[in-house]
Amino acid sequence: SDKQLTITHSGNAFTWADVERLCKSASHNDTDIAAKTANLKTTGLKGVGFKSIFSISSAAEVHSQGIDKASGMLRQYRFKFDEAYWRRQSEQHFSEYKIKYPWPIIPIPLEIETDSNSISDVQFVLNKINVAHVRKDLEAFLLNPEIILFLRHITCITVTLGNKTTQIVKEL
């Protein structure tokens, strides 16, 4: 779509704990801090980086597929965060109370793809974006791809905006 930005990367697939972290607000507790301190190989902690996408998109999807290291089983997660969906829910069910759902922390499950090759590691699909605003920032990022050096587990990022796809590959 012309109002969609898709970012796919080769980093670690999501675990259930990753999904839970995205669904929390920017709060943390001692257990979260202890887990992060014990596993310095992970990136992020409170989902703050992920939540920054809501400054450019009011409807974002997360697609992830990979082998769970603990069980050895294929795990697939597909869900979205959608402001318009939750606004409709508020209007239909709670309009008299003026209740607003905290939509950036309430995922909406999406149908699991039956073709297991349909997802490449981790994919973020940002819908309803302001293309002009995003294009300028994205072009600046793509001109300086060394940022990928700081993303430990990622060797390749593919960015699609409209009909233009760009790929950044980190040489190992």
Side-chain angles (χ1 to χ4, degrees):
S1 153
D2 62 340
K3 293 191 176 223
Q4 184 178 76
L5 169 65
T6 302
I7 301 169
T8 305
H9 68 72
S10 62
N12 295 335
F14 273 48
T15 64
W16 181 247
D18 296 328
V19 174
E20 286 181 320
R21 276 192 293 277
L22 286 187
C23 298
K24 289 182 179 180
S25 63
S27 65
H28 64 274
N29 60 40
D30 292 339
T31 304
D32 292 336
I33 298 295
K36 175 65 178 181
T37 304
N39 187 359
L40 295 176
K41 294 179 182 176
T42 63
T43 302
L45 173 60
K46 300 180 260 181
V48 173
F50 174 76
K51 296 221 178 19
S52 70
I53 66 170
F54 298 127
S55 68
I56 62 167
S57 174
S58 62
E61 297 179 17
V62 177
H63 307 174
S64 177
Q65 169 176 292
I67 303 298
D68 183 297
K69 291 180 176 98
S71 68
M73 296 179 62
L74 178 69
R75 297 282 184 227
Q76 193 177 94
Y77 299 103
R78 289 176 51 87
F79 53 93
K80 68 179 179 176
F81 298 90
D82 189 335
E83 180 181 27
Y85 172 86
W86 289 113
R87 189 177 327 111
R88 287 190 305 276
Q89 295 298 312
S90 292
E91 291 166 359
Q92 289 174 3
H93 303 291
F94 301 106
S95 61
E96 63 199 69
Y97 302 108
K98 307 283 189 236
I99 292 175
K100 292 184 178 181
Y101 283 93
W103 67 271
I105 62 171
I106 305 175
I108 302 163
L110 297 172
E111 188 173 325
I112 296 293
E113 296 287 326
T114 55
D115 175 12
S116 65
N117 294 324
S118 64
I119 299 173
S120 176
D121 301 320
V122 178
Q123 185 176 70
F124 301 100
V125 181
L126 310 183
N127 296 296
K128 304 176 187 175
I129 64 167
N130 177 332
V131 174
H133 173 78
V134 172
R135 186 178 311 276
K136 181 180 143 199
D137 292 340
L138 192 56
E139 286 172 352
F141 169 77
L142 295 174
L143 287 173
N144 298 295
E146 55 274 355
I147 189 72
I148 196 172
L149 294 173
F150 299 102
L151 302 172
R152 293 183 296 268
H153 305 291
I154 296 176
T155 57
C156 179
I157 296 176
T158 304
V159 178
T160 303
L161 180 60
N163 61 359
K164 184 178 179 186
T165 298
T166 304
Q167 191 171 62
I168 302 171
V169 178
K170 178 172 34 175
E171 300 294 326
L172 299 177

